[in-house]
Amino acid sequence: MQLPQQVEEECCKSKMNGYFFKVSDKKWQLDKSICVFPVEVVKNLSPDFQFGYINTLAYFAKNFSAGYVKTVNVVFSKFFSIGKFEVIDDESVLRFKARLNEKEIYCLCYMKSFLQKWLSFNYPGVHSSSVEIFNKIRIERGRVGEAIKRRDPNHGPFTEEELNMIVVRTNQLLTDKKIDLALFCFLQLLIHTGRRPLQLNSLKNIDLKKNEHVAVIKIPRVKQKLSFRESFSENIIGDKLYDLLVTLKKQTVEILKVKFETVLDNSIIEMLPIFIDQKTVDSCKSISELKSNLESDFLHAKNGHLKDQINVMAKENHLVSERTGKVINLNPRRFRYTLGTNLAKNGASISVIAEALDHSTISSAGIYIKNTADNVENIDAHMNRFLEPLSKVFMGLEIESNSKRFINSMRDAFGIKDEVQNEIKCFSCKQFNPWRGKIND
């Protein structure tokens, strides 16, 4: 495709190290797993329009994650499918909004930031009204956490019985050598850290540490608009999992030692992925070529590979949910849901849950402590000891004994002991009239 106004074309660097593209290329490979086809999205539009869209998308490809750019390209593919445009204005945005269902409303968030940048570059194809209209329309988030709230048996958090079954069965499969060690470690990290597959696939050997007290794994953060492995969060792991990860590391080193017929330097070993892509490793013809790819995701397992493999493993070994009677869905998101739900059940605060799940803010973590079924049961159990004796007092049942039960419950709840009553201002207040357990006629 010939783009207008294009000077001698330069090679653009993707945000992910080691990946490059030209603006006029039909296919942009932005990281190991993701490529986009921007020309395909605007092929039926005017040359000026194509120039504006593709050059703006190139800016995002250089500065944002491949996953974000892919989503933007998908959103505008939907947008341009509603008809041909000479310019994007407020009317076309509203027409697009009217066609979106509840699950697709997220598209508008991506459109807004993209159109703002497009307009700021003064590229042809977009009118200022398309950006201004976002100040007048409300973009509501979809129903966040529905699978968590209703304890969806296929997409929500696992029950205690289901999680225990997964742990017991996969441990037995490892003992029987019916599951690959890399897959087992990946699954264990999902269970114990609740991290996203992309985070786990970004791990390198250097992230694994152990001192005399505890084993720690530093997990890259991926949802904070950061570069590849730019920032990390530390997670404590058990000694058994640590030992298995060390064994996996040794297996990889041994494979490379045989392949290149040499002992690897420790500097190379530490930068090798924990979860490797054997095909790309095999494609390296020399140690120097291997070393040149250590800073990118080139040698790492593809984001979807291990994710797909755990479900293949569940199917082949008949891991069945006690709720559905069918092979259990081991979607990694369910392990995050389970970790967050269990933390909430154990009384963890929103900030603790957000930190455990590596959320940027506490807004998403709040869903775990709302009135889900288990939480309602816990609230009822705790409130019952207050309300049950009080209701009996008002019904005239055993007034004296129930009054004492209620008073004692309240004193215990607020930590009011006989020896500290003098320190509590209420007891010294002239207006304070302590309830003696009698009901006036």
Side-chain angles (χ1 to χ4, degrees):
M1 181 188 78
Q2 233 11 62
L3 291 174
Q5 306 178 28
Q6 188 76 26
V7 209
E8 185 178 349
E9 199 174 355
E10 295 181 358
C11 208
C12 301
K13 180 183 177 300
S14 169
K15 186 176 175 66
M16 174 62 72
N17 290 333
Y19 295 87
F20 300 86
F21 64 94
K22 289 186 176 180
V23 173
S24 61
D25 289 343
K26 289 184 177 181
K27 174 184 175 181
W28 299 356
Q29 188 75 42
L30 302 181
D31 68 9
K32 182 179 182 66
S33 304
I34 294 176
C35 60
V36 296
F37 301 86
V39 173
E40 191 67 24
V41 171
V42 291
K43 64 182 180 181
N44 295 323
L45 302 175
S46 68
D48 278 353
F49 206 101
Q50 292 174 357
F51 176 84
Y53 175 75
I54 292 178
N55 278 276
T56 305
L57 192 69
Y59 164 83
F60 278 81
K62 290 184 282 187
N63 294 281
F64 290 80
S65 72
Y68 186 90
V69 177
K70 180 181 179 180
T71 303
V72 168
N73 204 48
V74 169
V75 166
F76 276 90
S77 179
K78 290 177 183 284
F79 177 73
F80 295 137
S81 70
I82 67 176
K84 288 188 176 182
F85 297 92
E86 291 302 322
V87 66
I88 301 177
D89 56 13
D90 54 350
E91 184 181 334
S92 59
V93 171
L94 290 174
R95 186 148 47 104
F96 179 58
K97 178 178 181 292
R99 293 184 175 220
L100 298 175
N101 60 41
E102 186 179 36
K103 292 182 179 179
E104 295 173 324
I105 205 70
Y106 74 90
C107 293
L108 295 177
C109 298
Y110 288 89
M111 275 194 76
K112 180 180 179 181
S113 58
F114 189 84
L115 292 175
Q116 285 174 332
K117 184 56 65 176
W118 189 341
L119 188 66
S120 71
F121 287 147
N122 288 319
Y123 292 150
V126 62
H127 190 271
S128 60
S129 63
S130 67
V131 173
E132 293 166 359
I133 192 63
F134 285 99
N135 296 323
K136 301 177 182 179
I137 61 178
R138 183 178 178 182
I139 305 174
E140 295 183 354
R141 296 181 66 187
R143 294 182 179 178
V144 179
E146 281 298 305
I148 301 170
K149 288 190 287 185
R150 65 173 182 266
R151 293 294 197 270
D152 189 300
N154 293 306
H155 304 286
F158 299 113
T159 64
E160 186 177 341
E161 291 77 11
E162 287 173 333
L163 190 61
N164 184 59
M165 180 273 294
I166 295 167
V167 171
V168 171
R169 290 289 305 278
T170 52
N171 270 282
Q172 187 59 51
L173 290 172
L174 183 68
T175 301
D176 297 340
K177 297 183 179 180
K178 293 181 178 179
I179 183 174
D180 181 71
L181 179 58
L183 188 63
F184 180 83
C185 290
F186 180 77
L187 184 59
Q188 289 296 307
L189 286 170
L190 287 175
I191 293 171
H192 293 291
T193 71
R195 290 300 190 265
R196 304 171 183 91
L198 181 56
Q199 292 177 277
L200 301 184
N201 284 325
S202 300
L203 289 166
K204 292 183 181 291
N205 291 327
I206 197 172
D207 301 325
L208 195 59
K209 299 291 182 185
K210 187 178 184 181
N211 57 36
E212 56 183 8
H213 301 296
V214 69
V216 173
I217 189 164
K218 290 169 57 180
I219 302 179
R221 309 189 77 195
V222 297
K223 283 284 190 176
Q224 290 75 24
K225 298 182 180 179
L226 302 167
S227 298
F228 181 58
R229 294 178 53 80
E230 180 180 341
S231 178
F232 301 82
S233 60
E234 287 193 349
N235 280 70
I236 296 173
I237 57 175
D239 289 341
K240 180 182 177 182
L241 179 54
Y242 173 84
D243 292 339
L244 289 170
L245 288 166
V246 170
T247 302
L248 183 61
K249 169 184 173 181
K250 291 177 179 176
Q251 284 185 5
T252 301
V253 172
E254 188 60 32
I255 290 171
L256 294 176
K257 179 182 176 181
V258 172
K259 174 179 172 60
F260 296 112
E261 299 179 342
T262 185
V263 176
L264 299 181
D265 291 341
N266 194 57
S267 60
I268 295 177
I269 293 173
E270 290 295 270
M271 292 304 291
L272 287 171
I274 287 181
F275 302 108
I276 66 168
D277 183 336
Q278 193 60 54
K279 287 184 178 180
T280 53
V281 169
D282 289 342
S283 70
C284 295
K285 304 302 180 185
S286 64
I287 286 287
S288 59
E289 185 180 348
L290 180 80
K291 193 172 181 178
S292 68
N293 287 305
L294 290 176
E295 294 297 326
S296 77
D297 69 344
F298 183 73
L299 301 173
H300 292 250
K302 287 187 177 180
N303 191 36
H305 177 67
L306 291 171
K307 174 183 171 182
D308 294 339
Q309 285 299 108
I310 58 173
N311 276 305
V312 171
M313 177 273 300
K315 186 175 181 180
E316 288 179 346
N317 295 282
H318 204 55
L319 271 61
V320 174
S321 165
E322 44 90 18
R323 285 188 287 175
T324 65
K326 299 178 181 178
V327 173
I328 197 162
N329 175 21
L330 297 184
N331 188 313
R333 189 178 288 113
R334 299 190 70 187
F335 292 101
R336 289 176 62 75
Y337 291 166
T338 303
L339 180 60
T341 299
N342 288 339
L343 285 170
K345 285 170 64 176
N346 291 324
S349 66
I350 296 180
S351 58
V352 169
I353 295 171
E355 183 178 356
L357 298 179
D358 198 33
H359 287 306
S360 299
T361 67
I362 64 171
S363 58
S364 297
I367 191 65
Y368 294 101
I369 63 172
K370 290 186 178 178
N371 290 350
T372 54
D374 289 348
N375 290 334
V376 170
E377 185 177 336
N378 290 335
I379 291 169
D380 286 345
H382 282 84
M383 291 302 296
N384 185 60
R385 66 190 183 96
F386 292 103
L387 299 180
E388 192 251 347
L390 184 61
S391 65
K392 288 183 177 179
V393 169
F394 284 108
M395 288 190 295
L397 302 175
E398 301 177 5
I399 294 176
E400 190 69 33
S401 61
N402 279 304
S403 296
K404 288 179 180 178
R405 281 179 61 199
F406 177 74
I407 292 171
N408 289 335
S409 294
M410 292 297 293
R411 284 161 60 89
D412 289 343
F414 291 98
I416 302 173
K417 307 297 181 184
D418 290 337
E419 60 269 21
V420 298
Q421 279 198 21
N422 293 333
E423 300 174 16
I424 299 174
K425 293 182 179 180
C426 288
F427 290 104
S428 59
C429 176
K430 290 188 294 183
Q431 305 299 322
F432 180 60
N433 182 20
W435 180 31
R436 301 297 181 190
K438 302 289 185 183
I439 295 182
N440 297 324
D441 294 330

